[in-house]
């Protein structure tokens, strides 16, 4: 499994764009990059998944450079409700069938 | 949007008692999982289940644990003789398969007294 490194915590203000970068230097060819969000006392919630370049959905964008050794989750115009822990996970294409390994994540605190 | 539902939201049990945690995965999903999260710690994988059998399990998933899909909609986790250290949030997840993300329920908080 590719090891991931992400900041322990980040602070932001409402309305700002937040970029959380994850390093995964030993990512394998078949690995996908997946981000989850977790609020206190709730289950992890899938945000976005990508393999290369850029992926965008209604809540976030995921930027993956050509070497795929890192990725950046971008949250546009955050609000107080985006305060949560964000997890970067890297695993092969069978993530639908295999165990997910969660790290400690990045604790994002959004201030008014 | 379809979601994974778990019951009960909170279960309090005496040490040594059996407990069954219940999950209803998303209806067309084929792969099912249990994870747990001890307070303040990481989310840990317990077991995955596909085609009516265990696909993968972690060291945590010892003989005290079992899983079952008793019918077409439910997926259960049984702990036979609970210990204090079993106190945690237990999350069920399901997935449609290869390349599809896992979707989690909001968990059952298990408190062992």
């Amino acid at each position: 499994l590719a090891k991931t490194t992400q900041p322990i915590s980040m602070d932001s203000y409402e309305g700002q764009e937040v970029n959380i970068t994850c390093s995964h230097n030993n990512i394998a060819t078949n690995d996908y990059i997946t981000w989850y969000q977790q609020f206190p006392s709730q289950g992890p919630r899938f945000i976005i998944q990508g393999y290369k370049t850029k992926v965008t959905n209604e809540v976030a964008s995921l930027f993956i450079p050509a070497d795929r050794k890192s990725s950046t989750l971008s949250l546009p115009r955050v609000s107080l409700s985006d305060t949560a822990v964000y997890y970067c996970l890297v695993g092969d294409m069978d993530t639908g069938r295999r165990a997910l390994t969660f790290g400690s994540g990045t604790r994002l605190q959004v201030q008014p | 949007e379809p979601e994974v539902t778990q019951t009960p939201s909170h279960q309090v049990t005496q040490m040594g008692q059996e407990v069954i945690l219940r999950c209803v995965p998303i209806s067309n999903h084929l792969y099912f999982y249990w994870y747990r999260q001890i307070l303040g710690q990481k989310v840990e994988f317990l077991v995955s289940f596909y085609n009516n059998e265990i696909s993968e399990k972690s060291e945590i998933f010892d003989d005290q644990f079992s899983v079952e899909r008793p019918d077409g909609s439910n997926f259960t986790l049984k702990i036979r003789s609970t210990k204090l250290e079993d106190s945690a949030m237990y999350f069920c997840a399901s997935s449609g398969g290869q390349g599809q993300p896992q979707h989690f329920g909001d968990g059952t908080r298990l408190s062992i007294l």
Side-chain angles (χ1 to χ4, degrees):
Chain A
L1 289 172
K3 179 175 161 48
T4 60
T5 303
Q6 53 183 122
I8 295 172
S9 64
M10 293 182 69
D11 292 306
S12 183
Y13 292 94
E14 281 191 293
Q16 290 191 333
E17 177 183 80
V18 170
N19 297 308
I20 306 175
T21 296
C22 179
S23 298
H24 27 80
N25 290 319
N26 59 342
I27 190 169
T29 303
N30 286 344
D31 284 347
Y32 270 57
I33 300 151
T34 309
W35 285 80
Y36 281 83
Q37 173 192 57
Q38 188 179 27
F39 299 113
S41 298
Q42 293 188 24
R45 175 176 156 254
F46 169 78
I47 301 174
I48 198 165
Q49 180 174 284
Y51 183 78
K52 61 180 179 181
T53 63
K54 177 184 174 183
V55 180
T56 297
N57 62 22
E58 62 276 8
V59 298
S61 295
L62 180 58
F63 298 92
I64 306 168
D67 66 6
R68 303 201 327 121
K69 292 185 184 300
S70 67
S71 59
T72 299
L73 174 72
S74 181
L75 305 172
R77 296 180 300 281
V78 294
S79 64
L80 295 176
S81 63
D82 292 315
T83 294
V85 179
Y86 292 82
Y87 299 98
C88 165
L89 291 87
V90 173
D92 69 26
M93 293 175 66
D94 284 342
T95 53
R97 297 197 287 147
R98 306 258 319 252
L100 295 177
T101 300
F102 286 81
S104 300
T106 296
R107 189 172 299 275
L108 173 66
Q109 180 71 48
V110 179
Q111 314 255 10
Chain B
E1 183 179 324
E3 58 182 27
V4 175
T5 57
Q6 292 185 242
T7 55
S9 57
H10 192 187
Q11 174 81 46
V12 181
T13 302
Q14 292 287 334
M15 186 173 59
Q17 295 296 305
E18 176 184 284
V19 65
I20 297 176
L21 309 182
R22 303 181 190 279
C23 169
V24 178
I26 294 173
S27 63
N28 61 345
H29 282 185
L30 302 173
Y31 300 90
F32 314 113
Y33 312 81
W34 284 100
Y35 293 80
R36 80 172 186 191
Q37 187 174 31
I38 294 170
L39 185 64
Q41 298 187 23
K42 299 176 186 179
V43 177
E44 302 174 288
F45 168 75
L46 294 178
V47 65
S48 60
F49 191 87
Y50 170 70
N51 199 26
N52 283 320
E53 61 183 25
I54 291 173
S55 307
E56 191 176 357
K57 61 182 180 179
S58 71
E59 291 179 353
I60 302 168
F61 194 87
D62 61 22
D63 291 343
Q64 294 298 314
F65 292 88
S66 62
V67 290
E68 191 178 30
R69 187 155 163 82
D71 53 43
S73 59
N74 291 284
F75 180 51
T76 62
L77 174 69
K78 181 193 289 186
I79 309 174
R80 267 182 267 283
S81 179
T82 50
K83 304 187 282 285
L84 292 176
E85 53 264 38
D86 293 327
S87 295
M89 284 288 287
Y90 287 80
F91 297 111
C92 173
S94 70
S95 163
Q98 184 175 357
Q100 300 299 310
Q102 294 179 29
H103 294 272
F104 286 74
D106 277 338
T108 293
R109 180 176 300 281
L110 178 62
S111 299
I112 308 301
L113 304 179

